[in-house]
């Protein structure tokens, strides 16, 4: 069983930066894919970044590519999302999630953390 908990959200001005963290209890080794999703008011939840291990590779949606960076510290069982050049449209609840490698569905979710970008 994997449990996830996000932290690091908050209020930031447009153009600023935030770093989100997601701590996992239970092992999320190379058998798991870790992702960051977000859901803005009135919109569907979208996958914005993911990181795969063995070998390490990353995925970014077009909306965040070049501004956000996903990384993981396996020793600390922690996933990160560095968010730079934030825009008002990045305002959303951000979730980390995990799925088993080769799986199609993210089955483990954190409760989410609010990110608000003021323009």
């Amino acid at each position: 069983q994997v449990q996830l908990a996000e932290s690091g959200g908050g209020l930031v001005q447009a153009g600023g930066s935030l770093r989100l963290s997601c701590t996992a209890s239970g092992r999320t080794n190379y058998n798991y894919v870790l992702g960051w999703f977000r859901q803005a008011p009135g919109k569907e939840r979208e996958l914005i970044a993911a990181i795969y291990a063995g070998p390490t590779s990353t995925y970014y949606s077009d909306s965040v590519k070049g501004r956000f960076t996903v990384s993981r510290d396996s020793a600390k069982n922690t996933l990160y999302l560095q968010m730079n050049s934030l825009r008002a449209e990045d305002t959303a609840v951000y979730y980390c999630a995990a799925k088993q490698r080769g799986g199609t569905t993210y089955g483990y979710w954190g409760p989410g953390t609010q990110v608000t970008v003021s323009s």
Side-chain angles (χ1 to χ4, degrees):
Q1 186 72 14
V2 175
Q3 292 183 322
L4 305 170
E6 306 91 345
S7 61
L11 174 64
V12 64
Q13 288 188 334
S17 298
L18 277 177
R19 188 176 81 156
L20 304 183
S21 300
C22 173
T23 302
S25 63
R27 293 194 63 82
T28 53
N29 55 22
Y30 70 93
N31 282 325
Y32 286 88
V33 177
L34 303 177
W36 286 101
F37 289 73
R38 69 184 181 187
Q39 187 166 21
K43 295 188 177 181
E44 293 188 354
R45 190 176 299 187
E46 62 169 333
L47 175 65
I48 58 170
I51 188 163
Y52 309 80
T56 299
S57 63
T58 55
Y59 159 83
Y60 297 97
S61 66
D62 288 342
S63 60
V64 306
K65 194 176 298 181
R67 300 186 298 123
F68 292 10
T69 303
V70 62
S71 61
R72 67 193 292 176
D73 184 333
S74 297
K76 295 182 178 180
N77 237 10
T78 301
L79 175 72
Y80 301 100
L81 184 68
Q82 178 66 43
M83 306 186 294
N84 299 327
S85 302
L86 283 161
R87 306 166 180 166
E89 54 263 39
D90 294 317
T91 295
V93 178
Y94 285 70
Y95 302 88
C96 65
K99 66 174 181 176
Q100 291 193 335
R101 189 180 178 89
T104 58
T105 304
Y106 283 83
Y108 305 98
W109 293 85
T113 185
Q114 176 71 46
V115 172
T116 302
V117 184
S118 63
S119 57

